[in-house]
Amino acid sequence: MSATGIGASVKRKEDFRFITGRGNYTDDVNRYGQTHAYFLRSPHAHATIDGIDYAEALKMPGVVAIFTGKDLADDKIGGLICGWSITSKDGSPMKAGAHPALAQGKVRYVGDHVAVIIADTYAQARTAAEHVNVKYGVLPANADTASAMKSAPLHDVASDNRVYDWHLGDKGATEAAFAKAKHITKLDIVNNRLVPNPMEPRAAVGEYEQGTETFCLHTTSQNPHVARLVLSAFIGIAPEHKLRVIAPDVGGGFGSKIFIYAEETVCVWASKKVGRPVKWTSDRTEAFLSDAHGRDHVTHAELAMDANNKIIGLRVHTTANLGAYLSTFSSAVPTYLYAPLLSGQYNIPAIYAEVDGVYTNTAPVDAYRGAGRPEATFVIERLVEVAARELGVDPAVFRQGNYVTQFPHQTPVIFCYDGGDYNASMLKALEMADYKGISARKAASAAKGKLRGIGFSSYIEACGIAPSAAVGSLGAGVGLWESAEVRVNPVGTVEVLTGSHSHGQGHETTFAQLVSGRLGIPIENVSIVHGDTDKVQMGMGTYGSRSGAVGMSAISKALDKIEAKAKKVAGYVLEAAEGDIEFKDGKFTVKGTDKSVDFGSVALQAYVAHKFSGQDLEPGLKEGAFYDPTNFTFPAGVHICEVEIDPDTGVTKIERWTAVDDFGVIINPMIVEGQVHGGIAQGIGQALLEGAIYDKDGQLLTASFMDYAMPRADDLPSYNVGMTETRCPSNPLGIKGCGEAGCIAAPPAVINAITDALGHENIAMPATPQAVWRAAQQTMKKLAAE
């Protein structure tokens, strides 16, 4: 193994500039003559806009312009789109209400964009906003997922607020399985709404160059090319060749920066209207109000077992809150990113899922780290845990008895699992967690007046989101391949232009490791370029743990071409047939001889071209590739959480955490372990602390860090992380993806541990100290009576 190639724990190249304050984020971008935008947002969850009077505000010091939805409509600027089409059971298309960047006639959630004030300074814009008089006609509002279809309609196209009633699976086969079941486990589940809260809030700087009639948008995006495509082809800002989108350093995204938002749309459009650059940076409360939220499902699920404790059927009904408008990929999250994963790691012959997607007077809901996979895993892992308890079977044994063991495995809900060894992960996790000693540890806790429990999560996810044929057949508006271009300079250094985008994943290191190991050059001689649509060829961005499996596979294909051409050049240099040239460890050798030349020398000769001038070989050494895999990847693993509860305070302490994951081939173990740690932390946050709460009038009660609890260091345990490896057969590198696994696995592991400690299932996320205390009183009364 190369010291800097695949499998090496190379320190992240990009970290020096980040930890020394030398990162270049969108808020660091300042253009000559720029103005600042402040968005006036609705204080009401549901209301008509009966008039906007901004005459006084327009006279305020420094104010340059004020725009409303009418101005966008007059310029024929289109609304924000949903890029994934879902069809209801009856074959009708989903009911997508209009989503203007600035509200037109009606607001539908607290934080909806009513007007934009543009001024010389942000303070002037914000002050002027206080002098804009908006006359509202307040309408009945609803923020509750379960009652959405009985509430006042948000959009004329959806009189019952139902976007779609979708289903997947064989209903008849599932009903037949339940009819012959020996035991049925039933569970009602709420998957709590979350706010993504990346470290860097969203920001945008729009600029128009009159001389060339071109726009430039700096923005906090996970996929700048997709942003350009939507802003151009659907919203109508400018033709693609007249619109440049730059996503510089991005401080985290977790999915929330995939989408096209109102603010960047308005900033780039307004820059032409005012003749000056327009800058906007979100404050944290704006982020709580208007960033796309995650999760928010209400589910009833049932699991059927036969007399041998084999799972024979699963049926699920979920109501998924999509918020007030359909965000870019929101329609797919509770459908095709959710229901196909309900099979989990288990061989379940019959599954039927129904999903009602509904509008509510809340912020739009879209993909958040894991995107549908955490919700599905929570359903199946809670069901499996409760079923094992009801049947009196050890939860690990029950899982092992129902694991998929033969591959490829076709589930009844679309996916074909291409490889894995689930039992190997379980066995390793049981050993690492000292599962045999849990009884003694429970007794020790009981002696202190504490309650101890252990919980499992056998998760699987479909990621490497890409196969264009697959996602296209399921309603995606675009293919999800990836691109790469490898440029070898005459001195042998290499530039990689990738359509993937890094916002914390470590691409500048891991992508360089691939190139370093493959070409046998120092990792310092490799640079990674991304995030600029004028520099990098069209690419689809980063989400769904796809950068390794798809983005790096595109680089690998480009490197194949680099190596093939370099062998031809080396053949001319070494005066040997191309077929006799071998390449290893950065050196080209004539087979069976000691004649050789290093990679750098071949790179130089590729540009000097003396050796092959006039031959059938072009000068230069630059190659590109697009990669579109044939299947998703399927990372899987077992996480085991052990908790101790103080029944007097309700405080839950995570005493142990064991994570055993199968990510296929691992490029950088240190970075992968960091991804696992971060994902678990977010999952623990959902399970114990986080929850976006709206009141009955649609007001967000958790709109700051004073009210929305984020996990902190003392909430988290030390992690005991292990790996197993089965190569992914659907990409050339054998990679499966690791970025979302911890967030997917953690919530059910935590809740399963808490309910094991309590001895009953009456707890929901977030399991705050107050909620746990109430549940523990029920436990203590039962123990006292025994």
Side-chain angles (χ1 to χ4, degrees):
M1 181 181 74
S2 165
T4 58
I6 290 177
S9 289
V10 178
K11 289 184 178 179
R12 290 177 20 137
K13 296 173 64 177
E14 51 269 72
D15 279 354
F16 177 78
R17 74 172 187 273
F18 292 147
I19 64 176
T20 57
R22 291 176 171 85
N24 181 38
Y25 299 92
T26 299
D27 189 55
D28 295 319
V29 174
N30 292 292
R31 310 301 295 168
Y32 177 75
Q34 77 184 13
T35 59
H36 295 262
Y38 178 81
F39 286 86
L40 181 66
R41 300 177 185 276
S42 171
H44 303 290
H46 200 193
T48 57
I49 299 175
D50 298 334
I52 304 177
D53 181 359
Y54 53 80
E56 182 182 350
L58 203 53
K59 298 174 185 177
M60 298 289 291
V63 174
V64 175
I66 298 176
F67 299 114
T68 68
K70 182 180 183 303
D71 298 297
L72 286 168
D74 289 346
D75 274 11
K76 295 181 171 53
I77 298 299
L80 310 182
I81 67 162
C82 180
W84 201 302
S85 179
I86 299 298
T87 302
S88 289
K89 295 175 186 176
D90 62 4
S92 62
M94 65 185 187
K95 299 176 175 66
H99 187 184
L102 294 175
Q104 296 174 13
K106 194 177 185 182
V107 291
R108 294 176 173 87
Y109 70 100
V110 173
D112 207 348
H113 312 74
V114 176
V116 62
I117 297 88
I118 299 171
D120 292 332
T121 69
Y122 175 78
Q124 289 171 330
R126 185 164 188 162
T127 299
E130 297 175 2
H131 296 267
V132 177
N133 181 27
V134 183
K135 185 182 292 185
Y136 294 102
V138 178
L139 299 171
N142 174 66
D144 178 59
T145 304
S147 59
M149 289 185 285
K150 300 176 183 178
S151 303
L154 277 72
H155 298 274
D156 292 341
V157 296
S159 59
D160 61 354
N161 286 325
R162 185 156 56 181
V163 181
Y164 48 70
D165 62 319
W166 175 88
H167 66 156
L168 183 67
D170 188 328
K171 184 176 182 179
T174 305
E175 295 299 327
F178 273 82
K180 63 181 182 182
K182 182 71 173 179
H183 182 85
I184 297 174
T185 294
K186 300 179 180 181
L187 207 56
D188 290 305
I189 295 168
V190 173
N191 206 292
N192 45 323
R193 176 184 279 245
L194 304 175
V195 179
N197 284 317
M199 188 177 295
E200 175 206 29
R202 290 187 296 115
V205 182
E207 186 174 10
Y208 179 71
E209 175 54 56
Q210 190 171 4
T212 57
E213 298 182 322
T214 56
F215 292 87
C216 181
L217 172 66
H218 286 79
T219 185
T220 47
S221 175
Q222 298 177 215
N223 46 356
H225 281 95
V226 174
R228 184 180 70 165
L229 172 65
V230 173
L231 288 166
S232 174
F234 298 96
I235 296 176
I237 295 294
E240 277 190 280
H241 70 294
K242 293 287 187 179
L243 174 60
R244 180 183 186 183
V245 176
I246 301 172
D249 289 331
V250 174
F254 311 124
S256 69
K257 294 175 182 173
I258 297 171
F259 323 120
I260 316 305
Y261 287 93
E263 292 88 357
E264 57 253 38
T265 301
V266 171
C267 284
V268 70
W269 165 79
S271 67
K272 181 178 180 180
K273 300 289 286 186
V274 303
R276 294 166 62 183
V278 178
K279 181 175 183 176
W280 168 81
T281 300
S282 172
D283 66 29
R284 188 57 68 178
T285 291
E286 280 186 294
F288 273 98
L289 289 173
S290 63
D291 286 5
H293 293 181
R295 316 292 191 249
D296 205 342
H297 285 192
V298 175
T299 296
H300 178 77
E302 300 182 2
L303 194 66
M305 279 68 63
D306 66 13
N308 297 314
N309 296 334
K310 293 288 186 181
I311 301 171
I312 58 174
L314 168 66
R315 57 189 177 199
V316 175
H317 182 277
T318 293
T319 302
N321 192 341
L322 300 177
Y325 302 98
L326 296 185
S327 180
T328 311
F329 291 116
S330 61
S331 58
V333 174
T335 51
Y336 290 113
L337 296 182
Y338 166 68
L341 270 301
L342 287 169
S343 190
Q345 297 185 11
Y346 309 108
N347 185 4
I348 306 176
I351 300 175
Y352 182 66
E354 299 174 286
V355 177
D356 289 322
V358 297
Y359 289 121
T360 63
N361 297 109
T362 62
V365 179
D366 209 318
Y368 169 64
R369 196 172 191 173
R373 282 73 54 87
E375 296 93 316
T377 300
F378 194 77
V379 169
I380 186 62
E381 286 306 294
R382 285 290 291 127
L383 272 175
V384 166
E385 192 84 8
V386 174
R389 292 168 184 172
E390 291 176 350
L391 292 167
V393 180
D394 182 283
V397 172
F398 183 69
R399 285 175 168 84
Q400 290 171 307
N402 283 284
Y403 279 155
V404 172
T405 57
Q406 300 293 321
F407 297 92
H409 172 78
Q410 179 62 56
T411 75
V413 278
I414 299 179
F415 284 142
C416 180
Y417 300 165
D418 53 14
D421 189 342
Y422 308 146
N423 196 47
S425 295
M426 174 62 85
L427 291 173
K428 187 170 184 177
L430 290 173
E431 181 180 356
M432 290 172 58
D434 185 23
Y435 187 54
K436 292 179 180 178
I438 184 60
S439 295
R441 294 194 295 275
K442 283 187 174 185
S445 293
K448 299 184 296 180
K450 304 290 180 67
L451 303 170
R452 184 176 286 256
I454 193 165
F456 291 82
S457 178
S458 285
Y459 78 93
I460 188 170
E461 58 166 323
C463 60
I465 305 297
S468 296
V471 298
S473 69
L474 302 178
V478 292
L480 297 178
W481 40 264
E482 198 46 85
S483 68
E485 184 176 290
V486 176
R487 298 176 180 175
V488 181
N489 298 316
V491 294
T493 58
V494 176
E495 299 168 17
V496 177
L497 285 72
T498 173
S500 299
H501 187 279
S502 181
H503 42 279
Q505 292 85 352
H507 294 174
E508 292 176 38
T509 303
T510 53
F511 288 15
Q513 284 184 251
L514 171 62
V515 177
S516 172
R518 182 73 178 273
L519 300 182
I521 61 175
I523 195 169
E524 296 80 14
N525 289 356
V526 183
S527 63
I528 308 299
V529 181
H530 64 87
D532 187 336
T533 61
D534 270 14
K535 291 182 179 179
V536 178
Q537 68 289 336
M538 177 73 179
M540 300 312 294
T542 293
Y543 41 85
S545 301
R546 68 191 305 272
S547 295
V550 190
M552 290 184 75
S553 290
I555 296 172
S556 180
K557 286 188 66 177
L559 289 170
D560 289 343
K561 297 177 183 180
I562 290 288
E563 182 179 332
K565 183 172 182 180
K567 282 183 175 179
K568 292 181 180 180
V569 175
Y572 283 107
V573 172
L574 297 171
E575 299 179 335
E578 177 189 341
D580 291 334
I581 301 296
E582 296 178 333
F583 179 61
K584 185 178 180 181
D585 298 330
K587 186 177 289 188
F588 296 90
T589 306
V590 179
K591 191 184 304 181
T593 75
D594 61 356
K595 295 175 63 177
S596 66
V597 61
D598 64 28
F599 180 80
S601 299
V602 169
L604 180 61
Q605 290 300 320
Y607 288 93
V608 172
H610 292 167
K611 299 289 186 179
F612 55 87
S613 180
Q615 305 298 319
D616 188 23
L617 185 63
E618 294 180 351
L621 198 54
K622 181 185 80 168
E623 298 291 345
F626 287 77
Y627 180 69
D628 196 353
T630 57
N631 196 4
F632 297 90
T633 67
F634 298 97
V638 174
H639 286 217
I640 302 176
C641 171
E642 194 169 321
V643 302
E644 187 177 71
I645 295 171
D646 184 342
D648 292 332
T649 64
V651 171
T652 299
K653 182 180 179 183
I654 298 177
E655 293 284 353
R656 295 179 175 217
W657 194 284
T658 302
V660 176
D661 300 288
D662 178 1
F663 298 136
V665 174
I666 292 175
I667 304 299
N668 185 313
M670 179 187 68
I671 288 178
V672 167
E673 186 166 339
Q675 288 276 12
V676 172
H677 286 197
I680 295 170
Q682 283 186 276
I684 289 173
Q686 176 175 12
L688 295 181
L689 300 162
E690 297 183 53
I693 307 298
Y694 287 88
D695 71 11
K696 63 181 180 61
D697 297 317
Q699 295 291 333
L700 182 61
L701 302 179
T702 52
S704 76
F705 287 135
M706 293 182 68
D707 303 299
Y708 186 97
M710 295 282 284
R712 303 190 180 209
D714 61 353
D715 296 311
L716 305 172
S718 293
Y719 305 116
N720 190 13
V721 176
M723 303 287 171
T724 60
E725 181 183 312
T726 57
R727 288 182 63 93
C728 175
S730 65
N731 65 68
L733 298 173
I735 296 172
K736 294 185 179 183
C738 67
E740 298 163 295
C743 200
I744 293 168
V750 173
I751 298 302
N752 285 339
I754 291 173
T755 52
D756 179 51
L758 294 173
H760 62 80
E761 311 300 333
N762 300 328
I763 194 75
M765 297 190 294
T768 62
Q770 182 183 42
V772 173
W773 180 85
R774 287 175 176 167
Q777 302 319 297
Q778 179 180 341
T779 303
M780 300 309 289
K781 287 178 182 177
K782 181 179 178 182
L783 291 174
E786 291 178 353

